[in-house]
Amino acid sequence: MGKGSRSHQDIGFVSLNARLQQDHEIFDLVSELEAAEGKGTTFYSWLNVPSTASTSEISKAYRKMSMQLHPDKNPYVKDIHKRFARLGVVATILRNPESRKRYDFFYKNGVPKWRGTGYYYSRFRPGLGTVLMFLIILTSGLHLLVQKMNYKRDLERIDKIRQQAKAAAWGPKGIPLEGQRKVKVNLGGEESTSNRWIDMVVEGQNVYILDASGNMEILDASAATPPSVSNTWLIALMMPLVRKVMPAKTANSEEIVGEEDDASSTVESESSKSSMQEKDSRMKAARLPTIKAGGKRRKAGSKMR
């Protein structure tokens, strides 16, 4: 009994899968036909036959049109091979009773705009890189949305604490008083029983948090962290790595520049030294004494006999 039910289920699944593939083929063909032959073109209108045409009438219309669209007769017509091949597929669908029945259903009711996830996945199957990019963008967008929600909540909480501090400093009338007023505010709320009290200072419209050392830190909207793309998980994860790499590159570039400076200074010093030596040798040659020899003036040679 169990084996029989499983076999029936398998047969039903195969039949359903085959019908879905057939429907997908019809969807593609309808889209291609309208794109090539014009909006609203149907299988029947393209073959110039009524929707009630018999199989023989469809075959006759196909043979006539195939003669007109044959690539040998239209060698210079653009996309003629595609149109001729499409004509054969259309005729095959309409000459098969089962596939024609499926097409007639969509012919009467219209092709659905949403053709199912299986259709789009089979036509536009994404690669691993595309899936990862989609997940990164999706999770980063969700993270940014959470940041916006937290920012809004923090602003409301800050405003609530400021109002509590002002009410404690100014009294029930809510008239601002001059000077600084030190108050205690329960972070859990006025009606809360928790002992989360902090010292605060109210001065005019400004509210400050007073720490243990006596320093005052203003409490306003700037205390909340605004949402930012740079704070999303991927960029926040990559930034420490970038900071580690950038100083190393900067240090290497500085070392290279230093080495180039040292090398250039060495070359300059050697060039200067050689020029000085050349200058000295010229000056020495200019100071060599002259002597008379054979009634002519000559420079004294390096060897004396």
Side-chain angles (χ1 to χ4, degrees):
M1 189 70 178
K3 292 182 179 180
S5 61
R6 278 198 299 270
S7 63
H8 285 302
Q9 290 177 355
D10 293 340
I11 293 172
F13 177 78
V14 172
S15 177
L16 177 62
N17 189 41
R19 196 176 77 171
L20 287 175
Q21 290 181 356
Q22 188 180 66
D23 290 350
H24 294 168
E25 183 181 11
I26 292 174
F27 295 159
D28 288 338
L29 203 55
V30 168
S31 300
E32 293 173 3
L33 185 62
E34 289 189 345
E37 308 299 333
K39 187 71 174 177
T41 304
T42 66
F43 292 3
Y44 296 113
S45 65
W46 195 35
L47 289 173
N48 197 21
V49 295
S51 59
T52 57
S54 62
T55 304
S56 61
E57 290 175 335
I58 292 173
S59 298
K60 183 179 179 180
Y62 164 70
R63 285 193 297 269
K64 179 181 178 181
M65 196 167 185
S66 64
M67 294 289 290
Q68 297 173 359
L69 295 180
H70 200 282
D72 293 343
K73 293 187 176 182
N74 304 275
Y76 305 109
V77 177
K78 184 180 179 181
D79 295 332
I80 192 63
H81 289 85
K82 292 182 180 179
R83 294 180 66 194
F84 184 75
R86 190 178 300 122
L87 176 64
V89 178
V90 167
T92 301
I93 290 175
L94 294 182
R95 286 184 294 190
N96 183 286
E98 185 179 350
S99 59
R100 183 178 180 179
K101 184 178 179 182
R102 290 302 302 167
Y103 172 73
D104 286 345
F105 174 81
F106 298 117
Y107 173 76
K108 295 175 182 177
N109 299 283
V111 176
K113 294 182 178 180
W114 175 253
R115 303 176 182 180
T117 55
Y119 172 83
Y120 293 107
Y121 182 79
S122 61
R123 267 58 182 174
F124 314 103
R125 185 174 299 170
L128 179 60
T130 305
V131 173
L132 290 177
M133 184 62 65
F134 171 75
L135 291 176
I136 289 173
I137 294 174
L138 178 62
T139 54
S140 298
L142 292 174
H143 192 185
L144 188 62
L145 178 61
V146 171
Q147 288 185 42
K148 291 181 178 180
M149 294 171 62
N150 290 338
Y151 180 65
K152 183 179 179 181
R153 183 193 62 188
D154 291 342
L155 289 179
E156 293 175 352
R157 189 166 180 235
I158 289 171
D159 184 67
K160 184 178 180 181
I161 294 173
R162 284 172 53 87
Q163 295 301 327
Q164 291 179 21
K166 290 179 181 179
W170 299 341
K173 293 183 178 181
I175 300 175
L177 302 176
E178 295 183 359
Q180 295 181 349
R181 299 281 175 171
K182 182 180 178 182
V183 296
K184 284 186 175 291
V185 176
N186 189 355
L187 295 180
E190 296 177 353
E191 299 179 356
S192 176
T193 58
S194 62
N195 295 322
R196 299 169 58 192
W197 295 88
I198 60 170
D199 292 327
M200 305 191 76
V201 174
V202 178
E203 183 179 11
Q205 295 296 329
N206 295 326
V207 178
Y208 301 89
I209 297 176
L210 187 64
D211 59 18
S213 59
N215 297 321
M216 296 191 306
E217 183 177 353
I218 192 167
L219 180 66
D220 55 14
S222 63
T225 304
S228 173
V229 176
S230 60
N231 290 333
T232 54
W233 71 270
L234 181 62
I235 298 179
L237 184 66
M238 296 298 294
M239 285 306 295
L241 300 177
V242 173
R243 292 193 188 98
K244 287 182 180 180
V245 173
M246 291 301 292
K249 288 186 176 180
T250 306
N252 291 336
S253 61
E254 291 177 353
E255 290 178 359
I256 292 172
V257 171
E259 291 176 356
E260 290 178 352
D261 292 340
D262 293 340
S264 61
S265 61
T266 303
V267 171
E268 289 177 358
S269 62
E270 290 179 354
S271 176
S272 177
K273 185 176 180 181
S274 62
S275 63
M276 290 295 293
Q277 290 176 351
E278 183 178 356
K279 185 176 180 181
D280 291 342
S281 62
R282 288 179 180 176
M283 292 179 65
K284 288 180 181 179
R287 291 197 298 268
L288 284 174
T290 58
I291 59 174
K292 289 184 178 181
K296 296 181 180 179
R297 296 177 64 87
R298 299 182 185 176
K299 284 186 179 180
S302 58
K303 293 183 180 180
M304 300 293 293
R305 291 183 179 178

